[in-house]
Amino acid sequence: MKTDKPLISLSEGREIVREAQQLLARQLTSSSRRRFLRNGLTLGGIAMLTGCDLSDNTHVEQALSRISRFNDRVQGWLFNADHLAPVYAESQITRPFPFNAFYAEEEAPDINGEDYRLEVSGLVLNKQPWTLPQLHSMTQISQVTRHICVEGWSAIGKWGGVPFAQFLQAIGADLSANYVSFKCADDYYTSIDMATALHPQTIMALTYDGQILPRKYGYPMKLRMPTKLGYKNPKHIQVIEITNRFPGGYWEDQGYNWFGGS
């Protein structure tokens, strides 16, 4: 999905979101909110909401796209920047931590760290590229958190790196912008909302389990967000852009939910 045009009219969208907010605030408990987001609407519900003939593939795609964008807005509304994902003891780390990508492990990019430059673009004051030594010289934190894959499995790992909010402040990013997008050395790309970018557990991961980030896990740097599903955590990042233009993503453009909250 590479258009900025809304899939529904502004007035219709406001009414849908208003009704959803009232319903959720009035009826949903924390656990039922999670079930609502996980299960979404049935095809019957889509038909009632959109008035579409679901025997028509075009109508199905249009309806599902509208519901996906609606779900994005609802998840964005429910997102709490002060809510932290669970953390675990190091004894609970999954060993070995699984490799996962749209290609085989031996096809992961082999990047020369000495030549690496992280580019920043868009709504930022300082567009100077960053070297690995510069990133490693910034304040580092670590977390033992769970990676949740949309395929149904999960694993616990220990990630260390720079709080992403600190990096965004360092480059003079417009923190009121809507999106942060990522382009990667393996041709992957994705984007996130600014609220998630500023979450205290969102980090630019430079290490895994106390060691320099291995190639298979995203060397020289990946974004680690325990509040997002795995496909929202890009590896081998080369370009970070701050933008108000909807950027989409590799899997999102193929129908995956854009917000991707875990």
Side-chain angles (χ1 to χ4, degrees):
M1 187 182 302
K2 297 184 176 67
T3 177
D4 293 327
K5 295 181 179 179
L7 294 168
I8 58 177
S9 69
L10 181 59
S11 61
E12 183 182 4
R14 284 175 174 170
E15 181 63 19
I16 290 173
V17 172
R18 183 186 67 80
E19 292 178 1
Q21 288 176 339
Q22 290 178 346
L23 174 64
L24 289 169
R26 187 170 61 248
Q27 296 182 0
L28 296 186
T29 64
S30 176
S31 61
S32 60
R33 286 185 182 188
R34 294 178 67 87
R35 288 197 301 273
F36 173 82
L37 294 176
R38 184 176 64 246
N39 298 334
L41 292 176
T42 64
L43 286 178
I46 293 172
M48 288 190 293
L49 178 62
T50 63
C52 291
D53 176 8
L54 295 186
S55 64
D56 185 314
N57 286 338
T58 300
H59 280 163
V60 171
E61 290 299 325
Q62 291 174 347
L64 291 175
S65 293
R66 291 173 64 182
I67 295 304
S68 180
R69 294 303 299 272
F70 168 65
N71 283 343
D72 286 338
R73 292 193 293 274
V74 172
Q75 289 186 70
W77 173 69
L78 290 174
F79 182 79
N80 184 345
D82 296 322
H83 178 72
L84 300 181
V87 295
Y88 301 87
E90 293 193 22
S91 61
Q92 296 174 280
I93 293 175
T94 304
R95 304 181 190 279
F97 191 88
F99 169 82
N100 192 47
F102 61 94
Y103 47 82
E105 183 175 331
E106 60 271 15
E107 297 174 356
D110 190 3
I111 298 173
N112 185 330
E114 294 183 0
D115 297 333
Y116 175 76
R117 298 294 183 272
L118 173 64
E119 298 180 24
V120 295
S121 64
L123 304 175
V124 300
L125 296 178
N126 184 357
K127 298 184 179 180
Q128 192 74 19
W130 287 66
T131 65
L132 264 183
Q134 286 176 313
L135 292 175
H136 279 275
S137 70
M138 298 183 73
T139 300
Q140 311 281 308
I141 62 173
S142 66
Q143 58 180 243
V144 180
T145 52
R146 185 181 296 276
H147 172 104
I148 301 175
C149 181
V150 71
E151 296 173 347
W153 58 268
S154 67
I156 295 172
K158 181 181 179 181
W159 312 90
V162 180
F164 195 40
Q166 178 185 333
F167 178 79
L168 293 175
Q169 292 166 358
I171 63 175
D174 180 357
L175 303 183
S176 67
N178 292 328
Y179 309 108
V180 183
S181 72
F182 308 88
K183 296 180 181 178
C184 307
D186 56 4
D187 295 328
Y188 195 75
Y189 63 101
T190 191
S191 56
I192 61 173
D193 56 297
M194 183 59 76
T196 300
L198 297 175
H199 190 274
Q201 289 178 307
T202 298
I203 66 172
M204 303 169 71
L206 300 168
T207 66
Y208 179 75
D209 203 10
Q211 304 296 321
I212 293 297
L213 191 67
R215 170 188 169 193
K216 64 180 179 179
Y217 297 152
Y219 181 84
M221 188 268 290
K222 69 166 289 176
L223 200 70
R224 174 61 190 147
M225 299 173 287
T227 60
K228 295 286 194 186
L229 292 171
Y231 67 89
K232 299 299 293 186
N233 289 242
K235 300 181 288 188
H236 317 287
I237 297 173
Q238 291 184 314
V239 181
I240 296 175
E241 180 185 11
I242 313 301
T243 180
N244 285 318
R245 173 189 56 82
F246 181 70
Y250 179 89
W251 289 115
E252 297 89 330
D253 291 346
Q254 300 179 56
Y256 279 51
N257 178 252
W258 177 79
F259 193 85
S262 62

